[in-house]
Amino acid sequence: MERSLIIFKPDAVLRGIIGEIITRFERAGFKIIAMKMLQPSYDDLFTHYEGIGTLKTRKGDEIFESQLASMQDGPVIAMVLEGVEAVETIRKMVGATEPKSAAPGTIRGDYAHVTYGAAASVGRGVANIIHASADLSEAKKEISHWFSDSELHTYDTVHQPFTQPRKK
Ligand code: UDP
Ligand code: MG
C-alpha cells in the first residue's frame, strides 16, 4: 500500500468545504490514517515547498513567497491517506495545479477556476484548495515532515477484504 500527504489549504478550510472533499477520498476507498489541524510556521512551509518540493528553485522568489504567505492565511488540515497506488490516483483526483486548467470532475477543477496570472497580480499563491504529494519519494518525505510515527494509525477498513486474498 502507498501513502500520500494531503493538505487542505487555508482557502478550503475558510470556505468550509473540507467535508465534501474528504468524502470524495472516503468514497474512493482511501483510508485516512492521520489527520490534524495546524497553523503552519514559515519554516515548516519552507521545508515543505522548497526543501522537499523545490518550488523556489522551480518558480522563483516572488511566487514562492506569495505561496508561503497564502498558506498562512488561516489554519490548514494535514492528512495522510493510504491505498493502492495512492499517490498517482490522488493526484489524478486533485487535478492540474492551475485551477483554470484543472479538468471538471477534479477537486481543483470543481472547486476553483482562477489563474496563475490573477493570483500573481494580487501577490497571492494560486488558491487551489488542496496539496497532494506529487510522487512516492515526495510523499515519504512530506509524511515524515508533518507527522511523527505515533500519529500514523493502523486499523482495518471494510474495503480491505476486496484488496486481500479470499479467506478459505
Ligand atoms: N503556485 C502558484 N503559482 C505558480 C506555481 C505554483 O501559486 O506558478 C502555488 C500553487 O498553490 C501550487 C503550489 O504553489 O499548488 C505548489 O506548486 P507545485 O508546482 O508544486 O504544484 P502542485 O504540486 O501543488 O500541483
Ligand atoms: Mg508540488
Side-chain angles (χ1 to χ4, degrees), residues 48-49 53-55 58 91 97 108 131-135 138 142:
H48 175 83
Y49 275 117
T54 67
L55 182 64
R58 287 185 287 119
R91 281 290 284 205
T97 307
R108 287 167 171 171
H131 166 84
S133 306
D135 56 44
E138 193 174 281
E142 289 176 349

Side-chain angles (χ1 to χ4, degrees), residues 52-96:
I52 303 170
T54 67
L55 182 64
K56 191 177 164 79
T57 307
R58 287 185 287 119
K59 302 284 173 177
D61 285 355
E62 203 170 323
I63 286 173
F64 183 74
E65 295 301 337
S66 297
Q67 176 60 10
L68 262 57
S70 290
M71 289 297 287
Q72 295 188 300
D73 281 341
V76 303
I77 293 174
M79 190 162 97
V80 180
L81 293 174
E82 190 177 87
V84 175
E85 298 192 26
V87 173
E88 185 185 336
T89 302
I90 288 168
R91 281 290 284 205
K92 192 169 68 179
M93 291 173 71
V94 164

Side-chain angles (χ1 to χ4, degrees), residues 103-116:
T106 65
I107 293 163
R108 287 167 171 171
D110 282 354
Y111 288 94
H113 70 278
V114 294
T115 61
Y116 286 142

